[in-house]
Amino acid sequence: MEFDLIHRYFKTPFGRLARANADTVLVGIGDDCATLQLLPGHHLYTSTDTLVEGVHFFSDDSPHATGWKALACNLSDLAASGASPLGFTLNLSLPEINESWLADFSAGLLDVATRFNCPLVGGDTTSAGPNPSKTLSITVFGQAPITHRGFNRAHAKIGEEVWLSGTPGLARLGLLLEYQRRDRLAECCQGSELHQVQVLLDAMPAHLRQSAVIQLGTPLPRLELGVRLHGLASACLDLSDGLSGDLAHISKASDVSAVLVQSSLESMWRERWPEICQRADAAELLKILVTQTLKGGDDFELCWTAHPNHHDAIQSFGGGLHCVGFIEPGSGIWLQSPSADRTRVSARSYNHFAETQN
Ligand code: ADP
Ligand code: MG
């Protein structure tokens, strides 16, 4: 039964992708070990993530989106390291065999795997026993030339600029919409924030709602960007826990402070939501959007620091990249207002006006 299941949902549907990568996947699903061939002069990169039903995804989420996201968030770790995918393994712990769930989940995985040319090379399939939740664990393998120094979080230097891809915070809007749809908005924001968020969600135009839902459900790992940033970015990470919390990792590891410029974060949102400028409450809404960007979570966009000499080269990659701050001596994350006041942003907290710098 188990072998049957592995064949039906994994070995067979992923067979074409494995064959197309026969020069990389020397041995794939079916043997004790997979054997992968690195290009000469390359390092192996690996990363793993686990998703638990009820914690990282809803039980009634579409299985296709669950499969997509499970692989996309792992590939995003390779992107943040500047690595290109070689393949991945999948560990599944299932309370029951639900054939239609498995078929859709496998299709979601295959869509991302095909899009980013990342073959499935092995895994493990077990019963969850009395545990009623599914657990999915993915390990990705990637490679980058040994000449790539890596994007160590400790490599941010004073005077460098802070950059973002896409519109971090968008996935959080998707999550808030999802909670609102389930009538559970109060579970993710309290007090005055709940009211602000309700106003924001009601003001969102259809195109923004749609992009927020897509960003949350089917994020695209920034693999191409990660490779293009070789030799340009110093520190880099992907935004899984929110801008303030994730940037705090860079600031701690590099022993520096990061200053985010409120007006730059607002311009980023105006680009995504151009009609906002015509609204009387635009200033209010933009403030709420910046707060949600700081809290964020699940965007899988990249955040990196780079020397200002590289500004034009990075800008020339095209739209959707935003220089939103800079690195200074000190510690922590700060938000700089248009009047140049600075407010400390507490990592992962929306109450970023709590402590003001003298
Ligand atoms: P073993 O007993 O050697 O661990 P398994 O019975 O667990 O082998 O798995 C048989 C083969 O199927 C192995 O090559 C394994 O990598 C692969 N496999 C098992 N589960 C999965 C899965 N969920 N996705 C992809 N490959 C899998
Ligand atoms: Mg096994």
Side-chain angles (χ1 to χ4, degrees), residues 51-276:
L51 302 181
V52 179
E53 185 176 13
V55 181
H56 303 98
F57 62 98
F58 295 114
S59 311
D60 58 350
D61 274 350
S62 110
H64 186 281
T66 304
W68 178 295
K69 204 161 166 177
L71 181 55
C73 68
N74 272 274
L75 287 173
S76 178
D77 288 328
L78 288 183
S81 306
S84 303
L86 283 167
F88 74 103
T89 57
L90 169 70
N91 288 0
L92 276 181
S93 167
L94 303 170
E96 61 184 355
I97 305 298
N98 178 337
E99 303 260 348
S100 85
W101 188 91
L102 275 168
D104 289 351
F105 170 74
S106 159
L109 271 182
L110 184 59
D111 278 357
V112 181
T114 306
R115 190 163 183 154
F116 296 99
N117 198 31
C118 185
L120 177 62
V121 300
D124 202 19
T125 309
T126 59
S127 157
N131 184 342
S133 312
K134 300 178 188 74
T135 304
L136 327 168
S137 187
I138 285 183
T139 302
V140 279
F141 302 94
Q143 63 184 341
I146 55 176
T147 47
H148 168 49
R149 277 173 60 241
F151 297 135
N152 199 303
R153 290 176 183 195
H155 284 174
K157 286 176 272 316
I158 290 159
E160 287 189 337
E161 295 175 325
V162 176
W163 287 81
L164 301 175
S165 66
T167 318
L170 197 55
R172 175 153 175 91
L173 299 189
L175 187 79
L176 293 169
L177 285 169
E178 190 63 19
Y179 270 88
Q180 188 188 48
R181 194 174 64 80
R182 290 161 196 256
D183 222 2
R184 286 169 52 186
L185 198 53
E187 287 175 36
C188 28
C189 29
Q190 291 85 39
S192 61
E193 199 203 7
L194 178 58
H195 175 68
Q196 290 178 342
V197 161
Q198 264 157 347
V199 170
L200 175 68
L201 297 184
D202 291 345
M204 280 169 68
H207 73 82
L208 189 63
R209 286 169 177 268
Q210 198 183 2
S211 350
V213 169
I214 290 173
Q215 186 78 29
L216 179 72
T218 50
L220 293 172
R222 296 289 193 157
L223 284 156
E224 207 178 305
L225 176 61
V227 171
R228 293 187 85 179
L229 287 171
H230 285 194
L232 298 173
S234 303
C236 182
L237 43 69
D238 68 319
L239 295 172
S240 49
D241 293 335
L243 178 56
S244 60
D246 285 323
L247 191 53
H249 296 313
I250 290 183
S251 121
K252 266 205 195 94
S254 300
D255 197 19
V256 293
S257 78
V259 180
L260 294 166
V261 178
Q262 169 121 16
S263 58
S264 305
L265 290 169
E266 291 184 0
S267 315
M268 175 184 89
W269 277 105
R270 272 195 294 268
E271 209 174 279
R272 173 66 71 171
W273 180 358
E275 314 91 300
I276 198 172

Side-chain angles (χ1 to χ4, degrees), residues 2-3 6 10 29-32 90 120 122-125:
E2 183 191 316
F3 292 109
I6 294 166
F10 301 110
I29 296 175
D31 265 281
D32 290 314
L90 169 70
L120 177 62
D124 202 19
T125 309

